[in-house]
Amino acid sequence: LAKTTQPISMDSYEGQEVNITCSHNNIATNDYITWYQQFPSQGPRFIIQGYKTKVTNEVASLFIPADRKSSTLSLPRVSLSDTAVYYCLVEADDKIIFGKGTRLHILP
Amino acid sequence: DGGITQSPKYLFRKEGQNVTLSCEQNLNHDAMYWYRQDPGQGLRLIYYSQIVNDFQKGDIAEGYSVSREKKESFPLTVTSAQKNPTAFYLCASSPTGYEQYFGPGTRLTVT
């Protein structure tokens, strides 16, 4: 399975756009890129998934360049409640490997 | 009201005792998973099952056992052979293997 690398932590302020980048240099042809959000003492929650170019839903956008070796999760106008750990995963064959994620801290 | 449930939320056991954590889903998902999470760490896969009566070991299966007799249920037993069982345990299910739906978790403390 492809390994992912993302920043350990990030700080931002309320109302700003936050971009979290994940690198996955060894991504395979059939791998999708998925992001999860986890609050303390809760299970992770699916945010968004994509294969290439751009995907947008009501929560976030996911940007994937043509070579698919990285991806960027974009959270528009964050609020304090977006403080959480964000995991980038590359998935295939029904098995997921979670890394340590990016701990995002939103400041007032 | 569809979802995935885990019980209990908190569990305390004495060292040397086996303990079984419950995971039930009514989402009609074929695949189910068990993860362990230690403080400040990501999730590590213990066992997963893609179909009833079949399951595979994940990355840290030693000291754990599972069964999948029904589609809705995937209980995890933490045996006395697990050397460091205190952790947050998360169960998940999936219709496709890609998007997983997680339960609320069980925090197990063994003393």
Side-chain angles (χ1 to χ4, degrees), chain A residues 16-59:
Chain A
Q16 292 194 337
E17 178 184 79
V18 172
N19 296 311
I20 306 175
T21 296
C22 177
S23 65
H24 25 79
N25 292 319
N26 298 322
I27 190 168
T29 303
N30 61 338
D31 287 345
Y32 280 75
I33 300 152
T34 307
W35 287 79
Y36 286 80
Q37 175 193 55
Q38 186 181 26
F39 298 112
S41 298
Q42 295 184 24
R45 181 177 72 100
F46 172 87
I47 300 175
I48 197 166
Q49 183 181 77
Y51 185 79
K52 61 181 179 180
T53 62
K54 177 184 175 182
V55 179
T56 296
N57 61 23
E58 64 278 5
V59 177

Side-chain angles (χ1 to χ4, degrees), chain B residues 18-39:
Chain B
N18 291 355
V19 58
T20 298
L21 281 59
S22 167
C23 178
E24 303 279 332
Q25 55 100 358
N26 60 3
L27 300 167
N28 200 32
H29 290 169
D30 287 319
M32 297 187 74
Y33 310 80
W34 273 106
Y35 294 90
R36 168 187 173 132
Q37 187 172 36
D38 294 290

Side-chain angles (χ1 to χ4, degrees), chain A residues 44-95:
Chain A
R45 181 177 72 100
F46 172 87
I47 300 175
I48 197 166
Q49 183 181 77
Y51 185 79
K52 61 181 179 180
T53 62
K54 177 184 175 182
V55 179
T56 296
N57 61 23
E58 64 278 5
V59 177
S61 294
L62 179 59
F63 299 92
I64 305 168
D67 66 5
R68 302 199 331 119
K69 293 184 183 299
S70 67
S71 59
T72 299
L73 174 72
S74 180
L75 304 172
R77 297 181 297 281
V78 294
S79 65
L80 294 176
S81 63
D82 291 315
T83 293
V85 178
Y86 293 82
Y87 296 96
C88 163
L89 295 91
V90 175
E91 310 180 42
D93 300 327
D94 298 328
K95 190 173 176 181

